[in-house]
Amino acid sequence: MVKLKTICRDEKKYNKEKPSDMQRMYRNPNGAVHPLQKAREYKRALNAAKLERIFAKPFLYSLDGHHDGINVLAKNPTKLAEILSGSYDGEVRVWNLTAKTTIYSMLAHEGIVSGLSYIPGGDKFVSSGDDKILRLWSLTDLEKQKCNWKPTTASPNAFKTDYKAHFEYTSKESISSVHCHFNEPLFATGGSVVQIWNYERSSPVESFDWGVDSVIKVRFNPSEVFSSLQIYTNLLLGTSLDRSIILYDIKGNTPLKKVTLKNKSNAICWNPYEPINFTIGNEDGNAYTFDMRKLDQAKMIHKDHISGILDLDYAPTGREFVTGGFDKSIRIFNSFDGRSREVYHTRRMQQIYSVLYTMDNRYVISGSDDTNVRVWKSNASDPLKPLLPREKERLAYCEKLKKKYFHNKEIRRILRHRHLPKFIWNKNRKKQIQKNAKFRKEDNIRMNAPPGTLEYIPEKQAKIADTEE
């Protein structure tokens, strides 16, 4: 009797219930059945890398309206589409990023606007200027004043600028920056003396002076209560003109630690998800990440800028941060990587004095000396449109392929390639030649001099000049 082998399949498993249903496909996972699987995956990874660079268009739009260079930016912690900008002529503007328009414009100070900071609720903000005056502004009051104001017949298209502040404080010392506390009704100012202010009092409640020059930037620690230890830590971090970084305890009214670098630091920011770590932007073009428990050496050195870093800001995830430099470029770094993953620049953009990472982790905002506020994508090739589920799956699959084959020379070259302005490329090349010559000279000294003449010091420690407690 003849035996016949037949394939029996259930018709219900292969037919569509509705015309809109996807066709069900079955795949045999046996590797012997798919001998060209790796070749296909490599080709898909190569195409994904090329498409990423083709669709890399990070610049979205610019907001113009300021008449002088932009010195400082601030983001609202509760509203994604609202930011502040302060310029060198004393003007402060409140922007709506969705509508790309100015909500309020006010002449807040005489001279430079040195600092802007929202209070945690997001309904008020503090501004500081070179005129030694601090002003507390309420968005509710500004809206009422705008509604009650009517343009004159002579200038029907005029824009209201004579807003009145909610409260005003006068400082005896110069003010270079301001930052609001995350939990308490306090804010700190940097200058010739670090001062702590209460919203309800017209004079500072505390002041700190450790025999240093003017403090450039001050930042409160974003994590005030450690859930495991239940220790209340009121930590304030500041950078000074004498190249030092200082930790203050405002609860004990004492400075805690001081570390001096070989160059001045212009910017500082805490990691929001790892509040024991902070990153500073230095004049030597490097960003340094420190652990506040061990300040005798840097945790990570982030390199790529050819001139001083003027400002930096962390992403809300704590995994990335953005820097703006004197070399007219914006760079995005991974917090655990020493080199930037992205660089943005334009022909018209000048020195970047302030940068922000938006609260949804999708956009970067920059304010430069050419009076423009620019909005960029944090990932240059990300689509802006709402994605279908199949599109999201496709993008996730491409990302996995690029990570899997990143070790491949060709794919790595495509993904890492960035166009740089000619002056940055030449300066980078010259900087690398000087660095190699320095290392070669030190190696020759160690080879030909008596042992112990020139000890090897790791770069993370060599950048530290002194530490005090």
Side-chain angles (χ1 to χ4, degrees):
M1 187 175 180
V2 179
K3 293 183 179 181
L4 299 176
K5 295 182 179 181
T6 62
I7 299 175
C8 182
R9 292 175 177 170
D10 188 1
E11 186 178 358
K12 295 180 181 180
K13 294 182 179 181
Y14 291 88
N15 291 337
K16 299 180 182 180
E17 294 182 2
K18 299 177 182 179
S20 59
D21 290 348
M22 293 183 60
Q23 184 69 40
R24 187 174 296 180
M25 301 292 293
Y26 288 89
R27 181 177 177 274
N28 191 342
N30 187 4
V33 184
H34 307 281
L36 301 177
Q37 180 180 3
K38 287 187 177 180
R40 282 196 299 267
E41 274 194 348
Y42 167 74
K43 191 63 177 178
R44 288 172 183 171
L46 185 64
N47 291 339
K50 291 179 179 179
L51 287 174
E52 178 186 325
R53 301 316 308 153
I54 289 173
F55 291 109
K57 297 179 180 180
F59 180 71
L60 296 178
Y61 56 87
S62 65
L63 304 172
D64 55 350
H66 281 285
H67 303 288
D68 207 340
I70 296 167
N71 185 46
V72 61
L73 295 172
K75 57 187 174 185
N76 193 319
T78 59
K79 297 179 182 178
L80 289 176
E82 187 177 294
I83 64 166
L84 298 172
S85 63
S87 63
Y88 281 94
D89 59 358
E91 183 185 16
V92 173
R93 284 180 177 254
V94 184
W95 298 92
N96 186 328
L97 296 180
T98 306
K100 307 177 187 178
T101 57
T102 301
I103 306 175
Y104 313 109
S105 173
M106 61 212 76
L107 295 174
H109 298 276
E110 295 180 3
I112 302 173
V113 179
S114 58
L116 290 170
S117 180
Y118 274 100
I119 67 171
D123 57 341
K124 296 177 182 177
F125 64 91
V126 181
S127 66
S128 64
D130 279 358
D131 52 4
K132 299 184 181 180
I133 293 177
L134 295 151
R135 288 189 171 92
L136 177 65
W137 304 86
S138 172
L139 295 176
T140 306
D141 292 349
L142 295 178
E143 183 62 28
K144 291 179 181 178
Q145 296 178 42
K146 185 177 180 180
C147 293
N148 296 331
W149 179 78
K150 294 182 180 180
T152 61
T153 308
S155 55
N157 298 324
F159 201 76
K160 180 175 175 59
T161 58
D162 54 343
Y163 291 97
K164 293 183 179 180
H166 184 71
F167 204 83
E168 189 173 301
Y169 314 86
T170 303
S171 173
K172 296 180 181 179
E173 309 292 340
S174 60
I175 301 172
S176 60
S177 64
V178 63
H179 194 248
C180 294
H181 200 281
F182 289 92
N183 291 332
E184 297 184 9
L186 301 173
F187 62 91
T189 59
S192 54
V193 177
V194 176
Q195 298 174 327
I196 309 298
W197 301 74
N198 191 301
Y199 297 135
E200 306 298 331
R201 300 182 64 176
S202 60
S203 58
V205 295
E206 292 181 34
S207 62
F208 301 94
D209 188 7
W210 198 346
V212 298
D213 290 337
S214 295
V215 175
I216 306 170
K217 292 286 180 69
V218 289
R219 289 291 182 270
F220 278 107
N221 192 304
S223 178
E224 298 301 330
V225 179
F226 292 96
S227 57
S228 59
L229 300 177
Q230 293 298 317
I231 299 176
Y232 195 75
T233 60
N234 282 276
L235 292 179
L236 180 68
L237 191 63
T239 61
S240 175
L241 284 175
D242 65 349
R243 303 174 288 119
S244 63
I245 306 166
I246 308 172
L247 269 171
Y248 301 95
D249 182 10
I250 65 172
K251 203 70 174 179
N253 198 12
T254 55
L256 296 177
K257 295 181 181 179
K258 175 182 176 182
V259 56
T260 304
L261 278 71
K262 293 190 175 180
N263 296 88
K264 184 184 70 172
S265 300
N266 297 319
I268 197 162
C269 190
W270 292 92
N271 189 324
Y273 260 63
E274 298 176 357
I276 58 173
N277 299 330
F278 62 89
T279 303
I280 62 168
N282 203 267
E283 279 286 335
D284 60 1
N286 297 335
Y288 300 92
T289 297
F290 285 91
D291 188 331
M292 70 177 181
R293 302 167 298 180
K294 190 178 181 182
L295 293 176
D296 56 346
Q297 70 174 13
K299 189 175 181 180
M300 178 65 70
I301 302 178
H302 311 274
K303 305 176 181 180
D304 265 346
H305 280 284
I306 61 170
S307 299
I309 296 176
L310 301 179
D311 196 21
L312 64 90
D313 188 36
Y314 261 97
T317 59
R319 300 180 65 86
E320 292 182 342
F321 63 90
V322 59
T323 61
F326 200 79
D327 56 1
K328 309 175 186 178
S329 67
I330 301 168
R331 291 186 180 268
I332 300 177
F333 292 86
N334 290 319
S335 58
F336 49 84
D337 199 355
R339 295 290 180 177
S340 63
R341 71 162 180 85
E342 201 64 79
V343 55
Y344 299 154
H345 55 85
T346 67
R347 292 184 178 181
R348 290 184 57 198
M349 189 165 63
Q350 299 300 310
Q351 290 81 9
I352 317 294
Y353 288 113
S354 187
V355 289
L356 289 179
Y357 227 119
T358 56
M359 297 300 290
D360 60 351
N361 199 41
R362 294 188 62 190
Y363 304 104
V364 168
I365 304 169
S366 66
S368 56
D369 199 27
D370 58 3
T371 74
N372 283 324
V373 177
R374 291 180 172 86
V375 181
W376 314 76
K377 291 188 287 187
S378 60
N379 290 312
S381 59
D382 276 0
L384 295 177
K385 66 174 185 177
L387 299 178
L388 297 173
R390 292 184 67 182
E391 292 176 322
K392 293 179 181 179
E393 292 174 3
R394 172 66 180 173
L395 289 176
Y397 176 62
C398 291
E399 287 297 322
K400 285 288 185 182
L401 286 177
K402 286 184 285 188
K403 288 181 180 179
K404 181 177 179 180
Y405 288 91
F406 186 74
H407 67 278
N408 183 273
K409 184 178 179 181
E410 182 67 13
I411 294 178
R412 185 171 66 248
R413 182 190 66 82
I414 295 171
L415 291 175
R416 294 181 62 180
H417 176 74
R418 296 295 183 276
H419 172 74
L420 291 174
K422 192 173 183 179
F423 78 96
I424 293 182
W425 192 89
N426 290 334
K427 189 70 180 291
N428 267 333
R429 180 171 171 272
K430 184 178 179 181
K431 203 173 180 181
Q432 188 62 37
I433 292 173
Q434 293 173 344
K435 183 179 178 181
N436 293 338
K438 179 183 175 182
F439 289 160
R440 187 165 59 249
K441 181 179 179 180
E442 291 178 353
D443 290 341
N444 290 337
I445 292 174
R446 292 190 186 97
M447 291 173 61
N448 297 288
T453 303
L454 183 62
E455 296 182 358
Y456 174 76
I457 302 176
E459 189 177 6
K460 294 179 181 180
Q461 294 180 3
K463 298 294 183 179
I464 310 299
D466 190 20
T467 56
E468 297 180 33
E469 291 192 7

